Amino acid sequence: MDRPLSNQVRNKRMLSIWLKVSFAVLSIVLFAYSVNWFFTPSVKRSMLRTAIVSTQDLTVTINAGGLVVPLIEETMTSEISSQVKQINAEPGQKVQKGDVLLELDTQKVRLEIDNIQEKIALKDSQINSQKVISNKALNELNSQLELLTVDLESRETRKQKLVKLSKVGAFSSQDLLEAQLNVKRTLIEIRQLKQAKLDVKLSSQAQVDTLQLEKNILLKALDEQLRLKKAAVVRASLNGSISWLNQEDGSNVLAGQALAKIIDDSQYKIEATLSDFYASQLLPNMRATIRYQDQVIMGRLVQQTPTIENGVMKLSVVLDTPNTPTLKNNLRVDVGLITNKVEGGLALSKGPYVPGRGIHNVFVIRDNIAYRTQIEIGHSSTKLHEIRQGLNENDEVIISDMSDFAHLSEFAVN
């Protein structure tokens, strides 16, 4: 005979049923979560590079690659065709202005100096000979002039005597006329001799001047050869370092050929390269930032090459502090040519997955989920992008390469 169950038994059975149902529901939930977790893409946070959106001033720049070069570099060339006789320095060596770098053979120059000196001595001899000849001719003319002067006095005396005698009729007029003509003839001869003296002086002086001019030309040529002989000893033109040196002892060199290069290693400038796409945005003296490691140096654009090779322009940037100690020759640096400034805008650090200007998709992390978000990027500086829309301050944005996840709208960040 069946008896009704007690309340205690019924409660135990209900509790057992509820436990079984609860366990089944929990198992289903855990199973569903596990399936969802297994099939939902996820990335470890340690594998991601992120940046926080912040409000700050943005300096808009055009980025270029730069190379540190000496502000002052001088090339010493050979002034004669010769041979390298002796090398007294080596590349990289510190030098002071006037230090001997190398010496050239001067045999040809010495022979030319001897030849010119002989020609100068010959001109001196010719000048002296011309002066002797001129003096001899002048002495002969002076002697003739003295004799004619005596003849003039004698003929003048005879003419005066005949004039007096002709007045009393003691002498014929014919004799008087002849005496007068003799005086005139003598005066003409004296005048001719004086003109001959002047002609001899002028002619002799002209020949002496010509010879002296030829001598002066030779003296200038001698000075030039002496200078070339001195220049055969190649010396440093400034304090600095040897960046290059002809180290081939005994090698032939031509006039005008480079022998050494000296750089002032205390002052530098930047030579930058930039795509010709940005040519229209460049202005003379525009400001520039030069970044090396964590250091920022200011400068300005001073030169832009008029020619473009393979779509690349060459620029020259002088530094506000050209003697910056950390700069070294041939050091690679980043150059930012400043075109604009944005004050108090949203900014995001640059990264592989954050491209340049325009509309782009990025992933923003919220509660360990990365959501694909469309943003608009405006201006850019060396390290930052201006965010015009799509992000808020303090948003965490993935800036590492996420091309493998570009098709997803979201994924988990573990």
Side-chain angles (χ1 to χ4, degrees):
M1 179 177 179
D2 293 331
R3 288 181 298 176
L5 297 175
S6 65
N7 290 335
Q8 184 177 5
V9 172
R10 285 199 300 269
N11 289 339
K12 286 183 178 180
R13 288 184 177 182
M14 289 297 296
L15 179 61
S16 176
I17 293 171
W18 278 110
L19 288 174
K20 290 179 180 179
V21 171
S22 299
F23 179 78
V25 171
L26 180 60
S27 298
I28 294 171
V29 171
L30 290 175
F31 177 77
Y33 179 80
S34 300
V35 170
N36 181 67
W37 177 84
F38 182 79
F39 287 101
T40 300
S42 63
V43 179
K44 290 183 179 180
R45 179 177 284 273
S46 60
M47 302 294 292
L48 300 177
R49 179 183 169 196
T50 65
I52 302 299
V53 178
S54 60
T55 300
Q56 55 182 294
D57 296 339
L58 184 73
T59 300
V60 183
T61 60
I62 301 173
N63 298 325
L67 185 67
V68 178
V69 298
L71 182 63
I72 301 174
E73 180 179 27
E74 293 192 6
T75 300
M76 274 136 289
T77 59
S78 174
E79 299 199 37
I80 60 175
S81 296
S82 181
Q83 290 181 327
V84 177
K85 181 180 178 182
Q86 183 175 341
I87 299 173
N88 298 1
E90 58 185 19
Q93 178 178 328
K94 292 276 189 179
V95 293
Q96 297 294 317
K97 183 177 181 179
D99 287 351
V100 177
L101 306 181
L102 53 82
E103 300 178 30
L104 302 178
D105 184 74
T106 58
Q107 182 178 1
K108 291 182 180 179
V109 176
R110 293 198 305 271
L111 290 175
E112 185 63 22
I113 290 174
D114 293 340
N115 185 33
I116 294 175
Q117 288 176 335
E118 290 174 357
K119 290 181 179 180
I120 292 174
L122 178 60
K123 293 301 175 184
D124 286 334
S125 177
Q126 291 175 341
I127 291 172
N128 292 331
S129 297
Q130 183 59 43
K131 289 181 178 180
V132 170
I133 293 172
S134 175
N135 290 335
K136 182 179 179 181
L138 289 174
N139 289 334
E140 292 178 355
L141 292 174
N142 285 331
S143 297
Q144 295 178 24
L145 187 59
E146 289 175 356
L147 291 175
L148 282 176
T149 301
V150 173
D151 289 343
L152 178 62
E153 291 177 356
S154 174
R155 291 167 182 174
E156 184 69 34
T157 300
R158 186 171 184 277
K159 185 188 79 167
Q160 295 297 333
K161 184 187 293 185
L162 291 177
V163 169
K164 291 180 181 180
L165 291 175
S166 64
K167 289 180 180 180
V168 295
F171 213 85
S172 66
S173 59
Q174 184 67 32
D175 293 336
L176 178 59
L177 179 59
E178 184 178 352
Q180 291 173 339
L181 292 175
N182 287 336
V183 170
K184 289 182 179 180
R185 185 182 298 107
T186 304
L187 289 172
I188 292 172
E189 291 176 350
I190 290 174
R191 186 170 64 252
Q192 289 176 340
L193 283 176
K194 288 182 178 180
Q195 184 61 46
K197 282 182 61 179
L198 181 60
D199 292 342
V200 168
K201 287 181 179 180
L202 293 176
S203 177
S204 177
Q205 187 61 46
Q207 294 185 31
V208 170
D209 289 345
T210 300
L211 292 171
Q212 187 63 49
L213 179 60
E214 294 174 353
K215 178 185 175 181
N216 291 340
I217 294 174
L218 290 172
L219 288 172
K220 291 180 180 178
L222 178 61
D223 289 341
E224 176 63 14
Q225 292 300 318
L226 291 173
R227 187 188 68 81
L228 292 177
K229 181 182 178 182
K230 184 178 180 180
V233 180
V234 181
R235 299 177 181 274
S237 57
L238 50 82
N239 298 336
S241 299
I242 302 174
S243 61
W244 177 82
L245 182 71
N246 186 333
Q247 294 179 282
E248 299 181 15
D249 194 3
S251 62
N252 294 323
V253 294
L254 300 175
Q257 183 176 335
L259 295 175
K261 291 183 180 180
I262 305 293
I263 62 171
D264 180 358
D265 50 9
S266 64
Q267 300 184 85
Y268 293 97
K269 63 179 180 178
I270 307 298
E271 287 187 354
T273 54
L274 181 67
S275 170
D276 60 350
F277 175 80
Y278 300 100
S280 60
Q281 301 182 47
L282 301 182
L283 297 173
N285 293 316
M286 67 187 303
R287 299 294 290 169
T289 59
I290 293 84
R291 294 181 180 272
Y292 172 64
Q293 295 178 347
D294 295 329
Q295 186 177 17
V296 178
I297 307 168
M298 298 303 297
R300 59 185 176 88
L301 177 66
V302 294
Q303 186 178 5
Q304 175 183 345
T305 56
T307 57
I308 298 175
E309 297 181 4
N310 299 321
V312 176
M313 301 180 298
K314 291 184 178 180
L315 313 174
S316 182
V317 177
V318 297
L319 305 176
D320 293 349
T321 53
N323 57 344
T324 303
T326 55
L327 295 182
K328 303 297 178 184
N329 191 30
N330 290 327
L331 193 68
R332 294 284 178 181
V333 294
D334 295 323
V335 178
L337 300 168
I338 300 175
T339 59
N340 199 354
K341 288 189 176 182
V342 178
E343 296 182 356
L346 291 179
L348 178 66
S349 297
K350 288 184 173 181
Y353 194 62
V354 184
R357 194 182 189 98
I359 304 296
H360 303 284
N361 289 322
V362 297
F363 285 98
V364 180
I365 300 175
R366 298 188 182 95
D367 299 326
N368 294 326
I369 301 295
Y371 298 95
R372 187 172 63 189
T373 305
Q374 188 178 80
I375 66 171
E376 180 183 359
I377 296 177
H379 296 296
S380 298
S381 68
T382 305
K383 293 185 176 182
L384 299 174
H385 287 307
E386 176 197 13
I387 305 301
R388 291 185 173 175
Q389 64 179 19
L391 295 176
N392 298 314
E393 188 173 7
N394 297 322
D395 280 349
E396 184 179 11
V397 181
I398 299 175
I399 61 174
S400 54
D401 185 6
M402 301 301 294
S403 55
D404 293 339
F405 297 81
H407 62 286
L408 299 177
S409 60
E410 63 182 61
F411 59 88
V413 178
N414 298 325

